[in-house]
Amino acid sequence: MTIQRLDNIGVVVEDMAAVVAFFLDLGLELEGEAEVGGPDVDRLVALEGVRCDLTVVRTPDGHGRLELMKFHSPAATTAAEPNAQVNAFGFRRIMFAVEDIEGMLSRLRVHGAELMGDLVKYENGYKLAYVRGPEGIIVALAEKLA
């Protein structure tokens, strides 16, 4: 048996509307929304009384998906410092390939995203940037140079 593909990455959020707007402006597409809960969900995630809003967004090619979750009950817990640096333990960033990195940075600033360091040209192959979006989510952007 082998893994077939990465299905999705789950991100727990507080302000679903802000995070969804951020990812939609980044260029991801809304795949679906649901409220989940009940005994099966409780058993699956080893919590009691789960009530969770779920929004799935996907990359335009359909291969990458994020499952955004807002827990109403039980209340979400803080696992890490929201403004942790990229070298903190755990999942720290999501990287997307983009065509116009400067344009994308302008679009994301509308959502309060801030450039973490500098926009850099890396070894004549890429332009790269790290931005911190809503709720401290770190998104890396990569534009392949011709």
Side-chain angles (χ1 to χ4, degrees), residues 52-75:
C52 176
D53 291 337
L54 200 108
T55 300
V56 178
V57 293
R58 68 172 177 257
T59 56
D61 66 6
H63 294 295
R65 296 176 13 192
L66 296 178
E67 187 174 282
L68 307 171
M69 300 165 280
K70 177 179 174 54
F71 281 85
H72 298 284
S73 67

Side-chain angles (χ1 to χ4, degrees), residues 13-78:
V13 304
E14 179 64 28
D15 187 343
M16 181 70 82
V19 174
V20 169
F22 175 77
F23 282 115
L24 292 180
D25 218 19
L26 181 63
L28 276 71
E29 301 168 347
L30 182 64
E31 182 170 292
E33 299 173 298
E35 185 174 309
V36 298
D40 289 340
V41 174
D42 290 358
R43 287 192 347 264
L44 175 66
V45 299
L47 294 171
E48 290 186 24
V50 173
R51 194 170 60 81
C52 176
D53 291 337
L54 200 108
T55 300
V56 178
V57 293
R58 68 172 177 257
T59 56
D61 66 6
H63 294 295
R65 296 176 13 192
L66 296 178
E67 187 174 282
L68 307 171
M69 300 165 280
K70 177 179 174 54
F71 281 85
H72 298 284
S73 67
T77 60
T78 301

Side-chain angles (χ1 to χ4, degrees), residues 86-142:
V86 297
N87 63 342
F89 288 111
F91 288 101
R92 294 305 314 140
R93 65 133 175 96
I94 302 166
M95 180 175 273
F96 294 101
V98 299
E99 292 181 1
D100 173 14
I101 198 166
E102 288 91 354
M104 185 60 69
L105 289 170
S106 294
R107 284 175 44 188
L108 296 179
R109 285 187 181 106
V110 172
H111 299 280
E114 297 179 0
L115 197 58
M116 292 179 65
D118 294 322
L119 171 60
V120 299
K121 188 174 178 183
Y122 184 75
E123 295 185 356
N124 296 319
Y126 289 90
K127 285 185 186 177
L128 301 169
Y130 276 42
V131 298
R132 189 179 302 275
E135 301 191 21
I137 295 171
I138 299 172
V139 172
L141 305 172

